[in-house]
Amino acid sequence: MTEKFVQKSGKDRGTDELVQTLNEYLCDILGGKSRDAVLVLWRTPPRELARTISLVLHCSLQIQKKYRRRETDVGQEVQLKIGISAGTMSLSIFGDRRQQYFCIFGRGVGEVHEAEELADAGDIVLSATAWEVCEQHRLRTKHLAGQRAVKSHVSSDHLPFLSSGAMRPALLLPSDPNAEKVYRKYIPDAALGKVRQVPLELFSELRPVTIIFIQLQLPADVSTGSTSTILNAASSVMVEILSPHKGKINKVLLCDKGCTFLCVLGLAGNKLPSEINHALQCALQIYNACSTMQPLAWKGAAGLVAQAHQGVFSLSLTPALSLAVIGQKVNLAARMMVHYPGLVSCDAVTYATSQLPHYYFRELPEREMKGISQPGPVYQYVGITEER
């Protein structure tokens, strides 16, 4: 969709129209931040878990009823899928004094991701855990072939106790003059620097950046405390390697498939010559460093040139600053990371633009990747080998 808006209205106007479309669609649903995927949490005691799932299902039904499908100005339909799960989750905060990151993880997060993946446009899918503990007598569901998750066909008529306007207590926080200082640690410097110069409505732009996806596998039995320690150590290594080239960690995602870091070089105010070559070398250095870290297992990294959208998603009443990097190349990098594990891979554009000798690379076998019709040649970056 990013590319279609740019083709229709040009880089500047197309970017603004994309942000406006996402804000209008998702901010109504969330009352806050816009994303292409959003994790929403309900905190509840175990004794109220079944009823809370019914409440979440009721909210999901209302959302799908109003926002299931919407046409955009570029003729592409925006569709909505919803996954629901339940369980214990943990919060990990890591980083240094200048920049901090946080991850929400646990079995419930992995299951809700899987449920969303199983859903088609307009669907609501309950994970196996959510189905086991929910009020099954109130729901009409359909089992998915080969899966323990179920698709919900419930209507509001089956949840009459919620139709009367049941509400949960709101969490009211006192005013804190130091809150802004704390929150700034979670916002990238590139976003903070630019937002001081221009109004939010003029912040969005389309710029070429170089992205690196890095996926690490954590042990299945790792504790919450150990997870925080491992993430802090891994992120420190990455920051040390990226910083000389003005690279940044943009996002950290953690689920049952491992921990994924999205790193970006070339953000506003951080552009350097030979950016692609720096990104390839950074990816290889991170590979070497993380491969020796116990008890991590290296999964893969993918680095490539991406026409990425860098912008702010916000509401006028509840501003929420977020630096987003999106586009088809971002999707390609994520797929490459999964389908070519245990190495540093790049696409043909990165290979050609780097202008490095051919022996720095090895061409990899072609593999079918979900959502990518013509990925083109994929290469492994090996750097300078002992033979050369």
Side-chain angles (χ1 to χ4, degrees):
M1 188 163 64
T2 306
E3 288 77 8
K4 290 189 176 181
F5 271 104
V6 172
Q7 291 172 3
K8 172 180 175 286
S9 305
K11 289 186 177 181
D12 295 332
R13 181 60 185 164
T15 302
D16 292 335
E17 290 178 355
L18 172 64
V19 174
Q20 182 178 356
T21 298
L22 292 177
N23 271 327
E24 289 177 352
Y25 185 66
L26 285 177
C27 286
D28 282 348
I29 300 174
L30 301 170
K33 302 177 182 178
S34 295
R35 299 287 192 279
D36 58 346
V38 183
L39 176 65
V40 182
L41 302 179
W42 273 260
R43 297 181 65 179
T44 184
R47 66 180 181 277
E48 296 182 13
L49 190 56
R51 182 180 175 86
T52 302
I53 292 174
S54 295
L55 175 62
V56 173
L57 192 51
H58 177 75
C59 293
S60 300
L61 286 165
Q62 299 305 311
I63 290 171
Q64 285 289 23
K65 183 178 180 180
K66 188 174 183 180
Y67 300 102
R68 179 175 181 173
R69 299 174 186 271
R70 179 175 294 183
E71 285 290 339
T72 65
D73 293 339
V74 294
Q76 183 163 338
E77 194 175 55
V78 179
Q79 301 175 341
L80 189 64
K81 307 188 299 180
I82 297 178
I84 298 174
S85 188
T88 303
M89 303 179 197
S90 301
L91 171 67
S92 176
I93 298 176
F94 54 97
D96 54 30
R97 293 181 178 179
R98 294 175 300 173
Q99 184 73 55
Q100 291 190 337
Y101 315 92
F102 69 90
C103 271
I104 298 174
F105 59 95
R107 180 180 175 183
V109 178
E111 288 189 354
V112 79
H113 174 69
E114 292 176 357
E116 184 271 331
E117 288 276 303
L118 292 171
D120 294 323
D123 285 347
I124 301 172
V125 172
L126 281 75
S127 71
T129 301
W131 172 241
E132 288 173 3
V133 301
C134 73
E135 299 176 309
Q136 296 185 9
H137 63 282
R138 296 184 181 274
L139 313 182
R140 288 190 296 111
T141 59
K142 176 183 178 182
H143 283 272
L144 302 173
Q147 304 290 337
R148 296 173 59 206
V150 299
K151 183 186 299 185
S152 172
H153 291 288
V154 67
S155 67
S156 296
D157 297 337
H158 290 79
L159 301 173
F161 69 103
L162 292 174
S163 302
S164 59
M167 299 180 66
R168 288 166 59 84
L171 177 62
L172 301 178
L173 297 177
S175 177
D176 184 356
N178 297 318
E180 181 180 350
K181 183 179 179 180
V182 174
Y183 295 151
R184 280 176 176 268
K185 293 181 180 180
Y186 298 94
I187 301 175
D189 291 339
L192 285 175
K194 189 170 181 183
V195 80
R196 296 189 190 103
Q197 302 171 12
V198 297
L200 287 181
E201 58 270 18
L202 300 178
F203 186 95
S204 301
E205 66 176 350
L206 190 75
R207 64 164 49 238
V209 298
T210 305
I211 60 173
I212 307 171
F213 268 104
I214 300 163
Q215 188 175 47
L216 306 173
Q217 185 66 55
L218 301 176
D221 58 348
V222 67
S223 66
T224 300
S226 296
T227 298
S228 298
T229 301
I230 293 169
L231 292 178
N232 190 66
S235 64
S236 296
V237 168
M238 294 178 196
V239 168
E240 184 177 353
I241 292 172
L242 292 166
S243 292
H245 311 291
K246 295 191 175 183
K248 308 291 182 181
I249 297 176
N250 181 246
K251 292 287 186 297
V252 185
L253 307 171
L254 189 61
C255 63
D256 61 333
K257 294 181 180 179
C259 181
T260 301
F261 292 79
L262 171 58
C263 307
V264 186
L265 287 80
L267 293 171
N270 293 282
K271 205 76 173 173
L272 293 177
S274 304
E275 179 182 294
I276 297 170
N277 301 53
H278 292 320
L280 288 168
Q281 192 58 33
C282 283
L284 191 58
Q285 287 179 311
I286 292 171
Y287 169 90
N288 292 331
C290 290
S291 294
T292 61
M293 291 177 62
Q294 297 294 332
L296 284 175
W298 173 264
K299 293 294 289 184
L304 63 148
V305 179
Q307 283 287 328
H309 171 267
Q310 173 191 329
V312 160
F313 299 91
S314 63
L315 282 176
S316 58
L317 297 179
T318 56
L321 183 63
S322 176
L323 182 64
V325 182
I326 61 177
Q328 188 62 26
K329 287 291 187 178
V330 181
N331 297 336
L332 175 59
R335 299 301 181 193
M336 286 166 50
M337 174 188 65
V338 173
H339 289 278
Y340 297 94
L343 50 84
V344 177
S345 61
C346 67
D347 71 339
V349 175
T350 304
Y351 168 78
T353 309
S354 71
Q355 297 184 345
L356 291 170
H358 67 89
Y359 51 78
Y360 278 57
F361 303 87
R362 293 182 186 142
E363 187 167 358
L364 296 170
E366 182 178 344
R367 291 176 183 170
E368 185 176 344
M369 292 183 269
K370 180 182 177 182
I372 308 295
S373 57
Q374 295 179 331
V378 177
Y379 299 86
Q380 177 186 0
Y381 177 72
V382 297
I384 302 175
T385 63
E386 295 179 359
E387 300 170 356
R388 297 286 178 177

